[in-house]
């Protein structure tokens, strides 16, 4: 039976073509209309129409013309989009962080707020998001999407936190609560914090250009963002990367998940507090705490103990996944002088031998929220959402 696919088919084609043009601009920086037509395979007239419409909504702008030496000068087009932003939010045990990025994924703003004694509550998160969205909209900015990074098991398809033991969150419809708060105008997603951080590292951090690497979060919990062939490895249910709960720790140490012997309980922030005897100060984030520990007297043996346990677990990950790089994030970064050589030595002694670089994150506590904000742009670049 014939199907009248007229207008919807046209919309679909336009959305797809727009996404092709936008991806080319994102990945190449500045391109003339002719370059865009050549690289996309679209007709010049089609490219011209798309660019014109993107200009009208403030998504692209023209740079001063460059002479090509022959014929008419070409006018490069670049992504503009400082008025079109995405918001990334990281919820963690002792802090929440927000990052806004522009249409090209460049960081525009970052804010970190300490969280009080009982850890972050849903009401706090909703209030923070409401304030942030109001601030952006008051400045005339259009929010394209929001992704929240959470340390725990995430059902990304349904936007639910399955379990985040360190937050005390179980089976929470986080995307639903945020959508109820913001209405339909802002698409909302939820993802694991390590996956988001790995995404940021591969775009803006030490793992830029590295196709196979593992990012290890260094917060109260310990999670891995596993990147293989340039893609985040999510597993059959989206739960891959929960390395902190591998039983490679010490059976005497209880984990927040209710089990004993988890790696996280041996190398996470609580293990560092236990090993050094230096209490966390109210409102202190994991990086600031680790910086204080490094400067404190006689903490080297405690850090070395963490390093030995970290190295054992990383060697197992390397033997399983064969990454080109291990990126240590968060509180591991200030401890790097001790941790990196320990991990390097364990890798070199391992069955798969040396050849895997050990690097410290350069994004600090920004990593997860930056990655979350970039994630919130995906619908636009995949053509699932159009700006025109
Ligand atoms: Zn555990």
């Amino acid at each position: 039976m014939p199907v009248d696919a007229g207008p919807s088919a046209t919309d679909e084609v336009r959305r797809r073509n727009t996404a092709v043009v936008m991806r080319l601009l994102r990945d190449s920086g500045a391109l003339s209309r002719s370059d865009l037509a050549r690289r996309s395979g679209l007709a010049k007239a089609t490219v011209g129409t798309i660019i014109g419409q993107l200009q009208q909504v403030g998504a692209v702008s023209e740079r001063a013309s460059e002479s090509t030496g022959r014929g008419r000068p070409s006018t490069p087009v670049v992504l503009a989009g400082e008025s079109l932003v995405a918001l990334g939010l990281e919820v963690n045990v002792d802090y929440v962080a927000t990052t806004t990025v522009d249409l090209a994924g460049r960081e525009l703003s970052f804010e970190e707020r300490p969280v009080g004694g009982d850890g972050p509550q849903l009401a706090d998160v909703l209030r923070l998001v409401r304030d942030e969205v109001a601030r952006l909209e008051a400045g005339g900015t259009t929010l394209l999407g929001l992704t929240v990074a959470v340390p725990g098991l995430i059902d990304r398809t349904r936007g639910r936190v399955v379990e985040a033991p360190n937050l005390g969150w179980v089976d929470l419809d986080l995307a639903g609560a945020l959508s109820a708060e913001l209405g339909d105008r802002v698409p909302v997603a939820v993802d694991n914090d390590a996956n988001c951080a790995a995404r940021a590292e591969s775009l803006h951090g030490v793992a830029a250009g590295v196709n196979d690497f593992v990012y290890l979060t260094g917060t109260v919990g310990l999670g891995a963002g596993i990147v293989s062939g340039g893609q985040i490895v999510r597993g059959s249910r989206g739960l891959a990367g929960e390395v902190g709960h591998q039983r490679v720790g010490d059976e005497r140490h209880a984990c927040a998940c209710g089990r004993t012997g988890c790696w996280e309980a041996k190398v996470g922030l609580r293990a560092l507090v236990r090993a050094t005897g230096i209490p966390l100060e109210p409102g202190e984030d994991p990086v600031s705490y680790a910086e204080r520990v490094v400067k404190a007297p006689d903490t080297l043996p405690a850090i070395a103990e963490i390093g030995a346990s970290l190295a054992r677990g990383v060697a197992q990950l390397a033997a399983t996944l064969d990454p080109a790089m291990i990126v240590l994030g968060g509180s591991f970064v200030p401890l790097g002088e001790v941790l990196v050589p320990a991990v390097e030595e364990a890798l070199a002694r391992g069955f798969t031998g040396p050849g895997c670089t050990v690097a410290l994150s350069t994004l600090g506590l920004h990593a997860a929220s930056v990655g979350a904000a970039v994630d919130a742009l995906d619908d636009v670049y995949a053509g699932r959402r159009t700006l025109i």
Side-chain angles (χ1 to χ4, degrees):
M1 197 170 68
V3 177
D4 179 13
S8 61
T10 309
D11 284 351
E12 170 61 28
V13 169
R14 191 185 54 168
R15 199 162 54 230
R16 212 167 45 218
N17 291 345
T18 305
V20 168
V21 168
M22 289 189 61
R23 284 200 298 273
L24 282 169
L25 289 173
R26 179 193 61 184
D27 299 340
S28 306
L31 290 171
S32 69
R33 288 170 177 77
S34 313
D35 288 337
L36 282 166
R38 190 167 42 77
R39 294 200 194 187
S40 65
L42 297 171
K44 261 189 181 177
T46 306
V47 169
T49 305
I50 290 171
I51 293 299
Q53 289 173 333
L54 287 172
Q55 267 179 310
Q56 277 178 16
V57 297
V60 302
S61 61
E62 289 183 337
R63 271 200 195 151
S65 294
E66 288 169 2
S67 173
T68 56
R70 57 193 156 79
R72 283 197 308 160
S74 65
T75 307
V77 178
V78 291
L79 285 175
E82 288 215 356
S83 60
L84 299 165
V85 306
L87 177 62
L89 172 69
E90 180 195 5
V91 181
N92 218 307
V93 180
D94 33 25
Y95 67 93
V96 287
T98 53
T99 292
T100 51
V101 296
D102 68 10
L103 196 53
R106 292 174 292 235
E107 189 175 327
L108 296 176
S109 67
F110 172 79
E111 194 196 337
E112 180 199 330
R113 291 189 195 177
V115 164
D118 293 336
Q121 309 297 310
L122 178 61
D124 300 331
V125 174
L126 295 178
R127 193 177 322 114
L128 175 66
V129 167
R130 194 169 53 228
D131 290 354
E132 192 66 11
V133 171
R135 182 184 71 81
L136 290 168
E137 290 182 344
T141 304
T142 301
L143 184 58
L144 298 172
L146 161 69
T147 295
V148 186
V150 177
L153 302 175
I154 307 300
D155 181 344
R156 190 183 159 108
T157 314
R158 293 160 65 221
R160 295 183 85 93
V161 177
V162 179
E163 185 181 358
N166 287 310
L167 301 182
W169 290 4
V170 177
D171 194 26
L172 175 69
D173 182 9
L174 184 54
L178 286 161
S179 293
E181 185 70 38
L182 298 174
D184 290 338
R185 68 189 192 282
V186 182
V188 174
V190 182
D191 202 350
N192 171 271
D193 63 337
N195 289 345
C196 291
R199 182 98 194 261
E201 291 292 345
S202 72
L203 282 174
H204 302 301
V206 284
V210 181
N211 275 330
D212 298 274
F213 72 94
V214 177
Y215 174 92
L216 290 174
T217 64
T219 60
V220 169
L222 173 64
I226 302 165
V227 175
S228 179
Q231 300 292 318
I232 300 275
V233 173
R234 293 185 178 274
S236 64
R237 293 172 296 158
L239 308 181
E242 288 299 334
V243 298
H245 304 279
Q246 292 190 123
R247 310 290 287 278
V248 295
D250 185 328
E251 289 298 333
R252 290 170 301 173
H253 297 148
C255 180
C257 75
R259 295 163 186 82
T260 58
C262 292
W263 192 25
E264 172 177 312
K266 185 78 174 160
V267 300
L269 198 69
R270 290 189 180 113
L272 188 60
V273 172
R274 190 177 55 233
T276 59
I278 300 172
L280 272 160
E281 285 177 0
E284 193 171 35
D285 69 48
V287 175
S288 307
Y289 175 75
E291 283 168 349
R292 195 158 58 85
V293 162
V294 168
K295 289 182 197 137
D298 306 322
T299 52
L300 192 59
I303 300 169
E305 188 187 322
I306 301 278
S309 302
L310 183 69
R312 259 198 307 279
V314 168
Q316 293 195 9
L317 287 179
T320 308
L321 298 166
D322 186 28
M325 182 183 277
I326 298 284
V327 183
L328 303 178
S331 62
F332 294 135
V333 175
L335 313 178
E337 234 170 271
V338 177
L339 301 188
V340 172
V343 175
E344 282 174 340
E345 198 196 325
L347 290 174
R349 276 191 285 112
F351 183 60
T352 48
C356 172
T357 307
V358 183
L360 297 174
S361 165
T362 49
L363 299 175
L365 289 183
H366 293 220
S369 59
V370 168
V374 169
D375 177 90
L377 292 172
D378 278 356
D379 279 355
V380 170
Y381 286 104
R384 291 186 290 269
R385 181 171 182 216
T386 186
L387 302 176
I388 57 177

